[in-house]
Amino acid sequence: MDPSTGCTKLKREEDFQDILEERRTSSDLRHALRSFNPSPYRGIPPCTVSTLNRTVLESHNLRYVMQQMSKESGEPLDVIKEEVTETLEEMSQNLQLGYIRFMSFILSKVFKKLFRRIVVNENGLHRLQQVIQETPVILMPNHRSYMDFLVVSYILFTYDIPIPVIAAGIRNLYTCLCVCNCPVALMGMKFVGEILRRSGAFFIRRAIGANKLYWAILSEYVKTLVRTGFAPIEFYVEGLRSRTLKSLTPKLGMLHMVLEPFFKSEVYDISLVPISISYDRVVEESLLAYELLGVPKPKESTMGLLKARKVMDEDCGTMHVVFGHPVSVRNLATGKVNRRQFNLAPRDLPMRPSEDIQAFVNGTAHVVLRLLEENMVLSPWSLMATILMQNLKGMDLKVLTEQTLWLKGLVMGFGAQLDWQAQVPSSEVVASSIVLHHSVVRSDAGYVVLVEEQLQVGDGPEEVVFRRAVTILMCASYRNQAIHVLARPAMLAVALHKTATSRREDIYRMYRFLQDLFYNEFIFIPGREGQDFEDACSLLKNCGAVQMINQDIIVTKNEEATIFFLRAVLEPFIDAYQVVFRHLCGDTVKDFTEKQFLSSVQRFALSLLLSGELRSYDVLSSDTQKNVLASLIRLSAMTRSKRVEQSYFMPNKDAIKRIADILAGEMPPGAVSNSRL
């Protein structure tokens, strides 16, 4: 047990510390004004912000793109140069220590108010301190809350490590300050933007589309940051904040940009540092649920900030920030990428990535996401939420405690990192989690039930379902914090149940089908499908749930409850996909936009919930609906076409019906044709 955290199991070799402990006993102003002496990158001499921007403007790559744009559009080169200069000024950061100190002082107040502890692994910070001096560093946190934007820089300032430059949208950063009721946000969007710019943020437009010139400016700016080692670069490989609190499929654009200097041998190596941020309670938990149900995010305003003052009175428990081992891009690329191809063309001219480069970038993104998941620290509440999602009508507190203890043993056997207070009775751990998550769950006379929003006068049946869905999706999001630990053994449990025989080959085929189907729900490293199956088999064998006899996988009678529980973990996802399949096969519309699809699926699911035919609420999540759409496209059961700047989708109903039959266990996976299965 680590004395500073009271955890029974975190990473064995790591030294975890609560950085707020000192902040509660010493001056925040003294902390903000203390000496700050980070050790920078030693590759080349440091440069100023103005030198950095001038290097971007004078780059051969950008000049080439400007000349091409001038030829294509007929605009004078000087006009395009002026546009490039203005865009760069809009985009670029202007990192200044004085503003870092100011933000540190403000955030110390905010974090102490919101969190009991912010626990970090000091060993990881020491590794980061060393690697920053040796190679350009890319910081790659997961993205679960608007708080993520602020906490990494705050921690690095605390430990005398160079402050990163952060790729972000200004509205996202402003919303972050509004959500945590930071006084800075009262100054308005324009002033906040400048403060954040001087705190290291560089801003990317939300909608870039096919704007070649903007892409060229952004790409050259990012590559110049890497080549010069100006500062660590921080960006989110998931691209967006996860509204479901589970990993999103990676967005590859920014990763392509930061890796290109390595591909072109402009730097010897690049270090990728995964940063896993875990929350006991997410500040914007109800906002996430409403967004999933299609209620738009509220616009940021001073009045909205004032109304959000009550957020500061909430208890968000503990935040864990785990800095993973640096990943050498050079080591990852060995034997996978042929960098000689870049010797065949001028290095300062844009090149379309080859297939091996695209595959490598995609694989690297998935590797980073898996590392992020492996370093996540689960709270007892994540385990409780997983159990409650299988008991939506409520359950006895004593039974919940017993099942949570059982699940604790299972996930730790599966390799999870768990923050469970040692020497505290389990009943107290569970009771304190219920108190902390009072917005989701409550205990009445020893019976635990989900909290539901109070009904308003005139609310009809649909409003009743909607209000219940808000709470259930909030609970589901905390279940999702643990889903990466359970997904693979759960898919094997489902495959065992759906397959008519115990033959390993047949079970593997069903497992692969599930992995392909849920490719957008969970993170799978490309090319590791067989290893994932073997890992799942080993986990179930080690916990005694299955036996391997020759070429058969047999469920042991004593552990049938484990298999049943794991199947139930995936049941909401299976139900959601089947509802969408049923809707698409019965709908008479030939094609539709994404907006039309989301609206029609939600109406159909709502009707099933009202009739009592459906019990799972996960299908109401717009993210789940989009994942089904992406899965069908990937499996060639849906085609996408573009008309007048709008994407239209056309379902192949026969293919969708076959997929639905396989998922129901009514047809073996080998019967699917014209797909990637």
Side-chain angles (χ1 to χ4, degrees), residues 40-225:
Y41 174 53
R42 295 187 300 227
I44 61 175
C47 68
T48 63
V49 171
S50 59
T51 301
L52 181 79
N53 290 351
R54 187 167 60 252
T55 302
V56 174
L57 290 172
E58 295 174 354
S59 70
H60 292 289
N61 178 40
L62 197 52
R63 275 197 244 170
Y64 173 82
V65 173
M66 286 190 291
Q67 289 168 355
Q68 291 299 112
M69 295 292 292
S70 178
K71 289 179 182 178
E72 292 174 9
S73 65
E75 284 190 273
L77 188 59
D78 288 343
V79 173
I80 294 177
K81 283 182 179 178
E82 186 177 346
E83 181 183 346
V84 169
T85 302
E86 291 175 355
T87 301
L88 187 60
E89 287 177 359
E90 169 198 299
M91 177 188 300
S92 63
Q93 53 77 34
N94 187 17
L95 186 59
Q96 296 180 19
L97 182 57
Y99 285 84
I100 296 296
R101 296 187 185 280
F102 171 69
M103 289 298 292
S104 172
F105 176 75
I106 295 294
L107 291 177
S108 290
K109 305 294 185 187
V110 170
F111 288 152
K112 285 189 295 183
K113 188 74 173 172
L114 281 173
F115 297 99
R116 300 175 187 176
R117 300 179 301 161
I118 296 181
V119 179
V120 302
N121 62 325
E122 290 194 330
N123 291 16
L125 288 163
H126 295 154
R127 291 191 295 265
L128 176 59
Q129 212 161 25
Q130 182 63 37
V131 78
I132 277 178
Q133 301 174 56
E134 299 167 356
T135 68
V137 166
I138 313 300
L139 303 178
M140 303 178 74
N142 55 358
H143 196 8
R144 301 293 177 267
S145 167
Y146 287 127
M147 289 291 172
D148 304 336
F149 286 107
L150 305 173
V151 71
V152 173
S153 294
Y154 180 80
I155 292 170
L156 298 191
F157 176 74
T158 299
Y159 281 86
D160 268 8
I161 298 174
I163 304 300
V165 293
I166 308 168
I170 182 171
R171 188 166 295 278
N172 286 340
L173 285 170
Y174 183 72
T175 303
C176 167
L177 297 176
C178 289
V179 165
C180 65
N181 198 32
C182 181
V184 173
L186 286 169
M187 301 170 69
M189 180 77 80
K190 182 177 179 180
F191 291 101
V192 169
E194 193 55 39
I195 289 173
L196 294 171
R197 187 188 305 279
R198 298 187 186 203
S199 299
F202 65 95
F203 300 121
I204 302 173
R205 293 175 187 170
R206 282 188 173 183
I208 302 176
N211 189 332
K212 294 180 182 179
L213 186 59
Y214 190 88
W215 275 114
I217 299 166
L218 174 61
S219 177
E220 190 60 33
Y221 183 73
V222 170
K223 289 184 289 186
T224 302
L225 286 170

Side-chain angles (χ1 to χ4, degrees), residues 559-616:
E559 292 295 333
E560 287 179 346
T562 300
I563 297 296
F564 182 83
F565 172 83
L566 290 171
R567 282 169 43 203
V569 168
L570 275 193
E571 188 176 329
F573 298 95
I574 293 173
D575 287 349
Y577 276 56
Q578 289 286 32
V579 167
V580 176
F581 296 160
R582 179 178 163 186
H583 170 66
L584 289 172
C585 290
D587 197 359
T588 57
V589 178
K590 290 185 177 180
D591 58 13
F592 43 78
T593 65
E594 183 183 274
K595 185 176 180 180
Q596 291 168 339
F597 168 77
L598 297 178
S599 177
S600 63
V601 168
Q602 191 165 70
R603 287 195 304 270
F604 182 66
L606 190 59
S607 68
L608 296 180
L609 286 165
L610 286 169
S611 69
E613 189 176 347
L614 177 67
R615 293 180 299 172
S616 172

